[in-house]
Amino acid sequence: MNSVSPKTLSRQGSIKTTAATLSQAKYVDKMNILVVDDDHLNIVAAKLMLTSIGHKCRSAYNGLDALKLLDEAKFDFDFVLLDINMPVMDGIQTCIQIRRKMEKKKISKNLIIVGLTGYSSEDEK
């Protein structure tokens, strides 16, 4: 699977471009994806695009809820889309905790984590 950096997506400039990229993913095995974001609209948009090409999606509104879902799931997640700036537990801390769980073999070492952010200026980074 080719990776696309967030800067590349922002340069390409639209959800339409993202949807076109995702539609090419029909040749990728269907995945169990966890979408973690504190913005309901972002979750709805991501789930709509991902389920439209056959992936199964679950969602959480913060890192703590995401960790709980990962622990309690009766299946392995393949992919996590993780917002960086969230209340309760941010994406950086969530990623650290997920990696610890992977090291302890509590969750699959094959899990892919992609961090997302709405930050657009150097000051916000």
Side-chain angles (χ1 to χ4, degrees):
M1 182 184 330
N2 294 335
S3 63
V4 179
S5 75
K7 285 186 178 182
T8 302
L9 284 178
S10 67
R11 276 195 305 266
Q12 293 171 348
S14 72
I15 288 178
K16 186 185 283 186
T17 303
T18 305
T21 302
L22 288 172
S23 70
Q24 294 170 358
K26 63 185 173 188
Y27 303 108
V28 174
D29 289 339
K30 302 311 176 200
M31 296 185 286
N32 291 310
I33 299 173
L34 177 56
V35 179
V36 188
D37 199 312
D38 60 320
D39 186 314
H40 179 72
L41 187 58
N42 289 346
I43 288 177
V44 170
K47 288 176 78 171
L48 183 64
M49 284 189 286
L50 294 166
T51 57
S52 74
I53 57 172
H55 298 297
K56 294 180 182 176
C57 293
R58 299 280 309 269
S59 59
Y61 288 94
N62 62 62
L64 199 56
D65 288 345
L67 293 173
K68 187 184 266 187
L69 268 173
L70 287 166
D71 286 339
E72 296 174 355
K74 303 212 183 320
F75 55 86
D76 285 335
F77 281 96
D78 303 300
F79 199 92
V80 177
L81 286 174
L82 183 62
D83 185 21
I84 299 302
N85 188 19
M86 297 180 290
V88 183
M89 181 184 285
D90 69 22
I92 302 296
Q93 289 303 313
T94 304
C95 186
I96 289 168
Q97 294 300 317
I98 291 171
R99 294 290 183 206
R100 286 183 182 151
K101 289 177 180 290
M102 291 168 78
E103 289 171 7
K104 294 178 182 175
K105 299 184 188 219
K106 291 185 177 184
I107 56 177
S108 172
K109 282 198 175 239
N110 296 323
L111 180 66
I112 299 166
I113 304 168
V114 174
L116 303 172
T117 185
Y119 292 151
S120 60
S121 72
E122 286 298 318
D123 293 339
E124 292 174 313
K125 295 177 184 174

